[in-house]
Protein backbone atom coordinates (compact mmCIF):
# COMPACT_ATOMS: atom_id res chain seq x y z
CA UNK A 1 0.00 0.00 0.00
CA UNK A 2 0.92 3.64 -0.37
CA UNK A 3 0.50 5.13 3.08
CA UNK A 4 0.64 8.75 4.19
CA UNK A 5 1.86 8.63 7.78
CA UNK A 6 1.22 11.81 9.77
CA UNK A 7 2.78 12.81 13.06
CA UNK A 8 1.31 15.58 15.17
CA UNK A 9 2.71 17.11 18.37
CA UNK A 10 2.45 14.25 20.86
CA UNK A 11 6.24 14.29 21.08
CA UNK A 12 6.42 11.72 23.89
CA UNK A 13 5.04 9.05 21.52
CA UNK A 14 7.32 9.77 18.55
CA UNK A 15 9.66 6.88 19.33
CA UNK A 16 6.77 4.38 19.38
CA UNK A 17 5.32 5.93 16.24
CA UNK A 18 8.65 5.73 14.38
CA UNK A 19 9.03 2.08 15.43
CA UNK A 20 5.56 1.43 13.99
CA UNK A 21 6.60 3.22 10.81
CA UNK A 22 9.66 0.95 10.55
CA UNK A 23 7.40 -2.11 10.74
CA UNK A 24 5.17 -0.78 7.96
CA UNK A 25 8.19 -0.23 5.72
CA UNK A 26 9.64 -3.63 6.64
CA UNK A 27 6.36 -5.24 5.57
CA UNK A 28 6.65 -3.70 2.12
CA UNK A 29 4.49 -0.60 2.36
CA UNK A 30 5.57 2.62 0.65
CA UNK A 31 5.26 5.21 3.41
CA UNK A 32 5.47 8.98 3.04
CA UNK A 33 5.92 10.91 6.28
CA UNK A 34 3.75 13.97 6.90
CA UNK A 35 4.35 16.23 9.88
CA UNK A 36 2.37 19.08 11.32
CA UNK A 37 4.30 22.32 11.33
CA UNK A 38 4.84 22.08 15.10
CA UNK A 39 5.95 18.46 14.97
CA UNK A 40 8.33 19.39 12.15
CA UNK A 41 9.97 22.39 13.84
CA UNK A 42 9.86 22.12 17.64
CA UNK A 43 12.80 20.74 19.62
CA UNK A 44 11.64 19.02 22.82
CA UNK A 45 13.05 16.94 25.65
CA UNK A 46 12.01 13.95 23.53
CA UNK A 47 14.24 14.90 20.61
CA UNK A 48 15.63 17.50 18.28
CA UNK A 49 13.34 18.31 15.36
CA UNK A 50 16.07 17.88 12.73
CA UNK A 51 17.08 14.50 14.17
CA UNK A 52 13.46 13.30 14.00
CA UNK A 53 13.13 14.59 10.44
CA UNK A 54 16.31 12.77 9.40
CA UNK A 55 15.12 9.55 11.07
CA UNK A 56 11.80 9.66 9.19
CA UNK A 57 13.57 10.21 5.87
CA UNK A 58 16.06 7.43 6.64
CA UNK A 59 13.33 4.94 7.58
CA UNK A 60 10.97 5.69 4.67
CA UNK A 61 13.31 6.86 1.92
CA UNK A 62 10.79 9.63 1.21
CA UNK A 63 10.77 13.37 1.80
CA UNK A 64 8.54 14.79 4.53
CA UNK A 65 5.39 16.67 3.61
CA UNK A 66 5.26 19.50 6.15
CA UNK A 67 3.36 22.42 4.64
CA UNK A 68 -0.24 22.99 3.59
CA UNK A 69 0.94 23.61 0.03
CA UNK A 70 2.70 20.24 -0.10
CA UNK A 71 -0.33 18.43 1.37
CA UNK A 72 -3.00 19.91 -0.91
CA UNK A 73 -2.26 17.65 -3.96
CA UNK A 74 -2.66 14.44 -1.91
CA UNK A 75 -6.31 14.02 -2.92
CA UNK A 76 -6.21 15.25 -6.51
CA UNK A 77 -3.20 13.03 -7.23
CA UNK A 78 -4.66 10.11 -5.22
CA UNK A 79 -1.27 9.71 -3.58
CA UNK A 80 -2.25 7.32 -0.78
CA UNK A 81 -4.42 4.28 -0.24
CA UNK A 82 -4.64 5.08 3.46
CA UNK A 83 -3.73 8.15 5.50
CA UNK A 84 -2.73 7.46 9.11
CA UNK A 85 -2.40 10.13 11.80
CA UNK A 86 -0.33 8.50 14.53
CA UNK A 87 -0.03 10.19 16.98
CA UNK A 88 -3.13 12.35 16.70
CA UNK A 89 -3.32 15.06 19.36
CA UNK A 90 -6.41 16.56 20.93
CA UNK A 91 -5.78 19.70 18.93
CA UNK A 92 -5.79 17.79 15.65
CA UNK A 93 -8.85 15.77 16.72
CA UNK A 94 -10.71 19.06 17.31
CA UNK A 95 -9.70 20.44 13.93
CA UNK A 96 -10.68 17.26 12.07
CA UNK A 97 -14.03 16.95 13.80
CA UNK A 98 -14.89 20.58 13.05
CA UNK A 99 -13.55 20.80 9.50
CA UNK A 100 -10.66 23.15 10.29
CA UNK A 101 -7.90 22.91 7.68
CA UNK A 102 -5.01 25.02 8.87
CA UNK A 103 -2.09 22.56 9.14
CA UNK A 104 -0.33 20.21 6.77
CA UNK A 105 -1.93 17.22 8.54
CA UNK A 106 -5.50 18.55 8.46
CA UNK A 107 -5.03 19.52 4.81
CA UNK A 108 -3.69 16.02 4.09
CA UNK A 109 -6.81 14.51 5.70
CA UNK A 110 -9.22 16.84 3.92
CA UNK A 111 -7.54 16.28 0.57
CA UNK A 112 -7.37 12.50 1.06
CA UNK A 113 -11.01 12.24 2.18
CA UNK A 114 -12.27 13.86 -1.03
CA UNK A 115 -11.75 10.45 -2.66
CA UNK A 116 -13.62 8.57 0.10
CA UNK A 117 -10.38 6.94 1.19
CA UNK A 118 -9.73 5.88 4.79
CA UNK A 119 -8.08 7.97 7.49
CA UNK A 120 -6.70 6.06 10.48
CA UNK A 121 -6.52 7.89 13.81
CA UNK A 122 -4.08 6.89 16.56
CA UNK A 123 -5.21 8.95 19.55
CA UNK A 124 -2.60 10.37 21.89
CA UNK A 125 -3.86 13.14 24.12
CA UNK A 126 -3.89 14.05 27.80
CA UNK A 127 -7.48 15.28 27.56
CA UNK A 128 -9.18 12.37 25.75
CA UNK A 129 -11.61 11.97 28.66
CA UNK A 130 -11.99 15.74 28.94
CA UNK A 131 -12.28 18.39 26.25
CA UNK A 132 -11.23 16.02 23.45
CA UNK A 133 -13.89 13.41 24.25
CA UNK A 134 -16.60 15.09 22.18
CA UNK A 135 -14.26 15.32 19.17
CA UNK A 136 -13.34 11.65 19.44
CA UNK A 137 -17.04 10.82 19.65
CA UNK A 138 -17.80 12.88 16.55
CA UNK A 139 -15.00 11.31 14.51
CA UNK A 140 -16.01 7.80 15.59
CA UNK A 141 -19.28 8.46 13.77
CA UNK A 142 -17.84 10.04 10.61
CA UNK A 143 -17.50 8.02 7.43
CA UNK A 144 -13.97 6.97 6.41
CA UNK A 145 -12.41 7.51 9.86
CA UNK A 146 -10.98 4.42 11.56
CA UNK A 147 -9.51 4.37 15.05
CA UNK A 148 -6.57 2.38 16.33
CA UNK A 149 -7.76 0.79 19.60
CA UNK A 150 -6.92 3.13 22.46
CA UNK A 151 -7.14 3.33 26.23
CA UNK A 152 -5.89 5.05 29.34
CA UNK A 153 -2.12 5.20 29.59
CA UNK A 154 -1.73 6.28 33.23
CA UNK A 155 -5.00 6.49 35.14
CA UNK A 156 -3.32 7.50 38.41
CA UNK A 157 -1.16 10.40 37.23
CA UNK A 158 -3.13 11.41 34.11
CA UNK A 159 -6.78 10.49 34.68
CA UNK A 160 -8.02 12.00 31.38
CA UNK A 161 -5.19 10.77 29.17
CA UNK A 162 -5.52 8.10 26.48
CA UNK A 163 -3.16 6.70 23.87
CA UNK A 164 -3.54 4.25 21.02
CA UNK A 165 -2.16 0.73 21.07
CA UNK A 166 0.76 1.16 18.67
CA UNK A 167 0.95 -2.61 18.13
CA UNK A 168 -2.46 -2.37 16.41
CA UNK A 169 -1.60 0.42 13.94
CA UNK A 170 -0.70 -1.86 11.02
CA UNK A 171 -3.75 -4.07 11.57
CA UNK A 172 -5.98 -0.99 11.70
CA UNK A 173 -4.46 0.39 8.48
CA UNK A 174 -4.94 -2.91 6.65
CA UNK A 175 -8.52 -3.25 7.92
CA UNK A 176 -9.35 0.36 7.02
CA UNK A 177 -8.02 -0.22 3.51
CA UNK A 178 -10.59 -3.00 3.20
CA UNK A 179 -13.34 -0.83 4.70
CA UNK A 180 -13.47 -2.80 7.93
CA UNK A 181 -13.57 -1.20 11.36
CA UNK A 182 -11.57 -3.29 13.80
CA UNK A 183 -12.96 -3.72 17.27
CA UNK A 184 -13.40 -0.27 18.83
CA UNK A 185 -13.20 -1.86 22.25
CA UNK A 186 -11.17 0.35 24.53
CA UNK A 187 -8.44 -1.67 26.17
Amino acid sequence: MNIGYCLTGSFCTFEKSINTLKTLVLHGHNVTPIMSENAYTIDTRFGNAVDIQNKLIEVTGNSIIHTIEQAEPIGPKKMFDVLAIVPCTGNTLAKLSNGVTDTSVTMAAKSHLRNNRPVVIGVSTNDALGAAAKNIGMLLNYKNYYFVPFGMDNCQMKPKSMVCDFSQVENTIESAYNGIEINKKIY
Side-chain angles (χ1 to χ4, degrees):
M1 274 188 282
N2 289 315
I3 300 169
Y5 193 95
C6 307
L7 290 93
T8 63
S10 179
F11 301 101
C12 62
T13 62
F14 276 15
E15 184 176 339
K16 288 180 182 178
S17 192
I18 291 170
N19 286 336
T20 298
L21 187 89
K22 288 179 186 176
T23 301
L24 291 169
V25 171
L26 183 67
H27 291 161
H29 300 291
N30 177 37
V31 182
T32 300
I34 302 166
M35 298 180 81
S36 69
E37 289 79 352
N38 286 337
Y40 187 78
T41 60
I42 295 176
D43 295 329
T44 72
R45 63 188 171 104
F46 300 104
N48 179 291
V50 172
D51 292 339
I52 293 166
Q53 293 167 24
N54 289 336
K55 187 67 168 175
L56 290 171
I57 293 167
E58 174 189 328
V59 168
T60 64
N62 290 313
S63 299
I64 300 168
I65 294 172
H66 60 92
T67 67
I68 290 173
E69 296 82 6
Q70 292 170 324
E72 187 278 329
I74 288 171
K77 292 184 177 181
K78 298 182 179 178
M79 293 172 61
F80 306 121
D81 299 308
V82 177
L83 185 79
I85 306 173
V86 183
C88 186
T89 62
N91 187 48
T92 300
L93 289 165
K95 291 177 181 195
L96 292 171
S97 68
N98 289 288
V100 176
T101 308
D102 64 352
T103 70
S104 52
V105 171
T106 56
M107 174 56 82
K110 175 186 174 186
S111 187
H112 181 75
L113 284 165
R114 72 185 267 168
N115 299 312
N116 286 317
R117 292 190 175 179
V119 174
V120 169
I121 304 288
V123 171
S124 181
T125 178
N126 287 327
D127 68 345
L129 295 174
K134 67 180 179 181
N135 299 316
I136 292 169
M138 287 172 61
L139 290 171
L140 282 167
N141 286 296
Y142 287 175
K143 184 178 178 184
N144 296 318
Y145 280 96
Y146 299 82
F147 278 73
V148 178
F150 59 97
M152 297 181 80
D153 60 316
N154 185 342
C155 61
Q156 296 295 326
M157 301 298 291
K158 302 186 298 182
K160 295 182 180 182
S161 182
M162 297 184 99
V163 67
C164 71
D165 180 353
F166 285 90
S167 71
Q168 291 296 314
V169 171
E170 184 174 19
N171 184 35
T172 305
I173 288 171
E174 290 172 355
S175 294
Y177 177 73
N178 291 308
I180 299 167
E181 180 75 61
I182 65 170
N183 189 348
K184 288 184 183 178
K185 178 181 169 187
I186 297 174
Y187 68 92

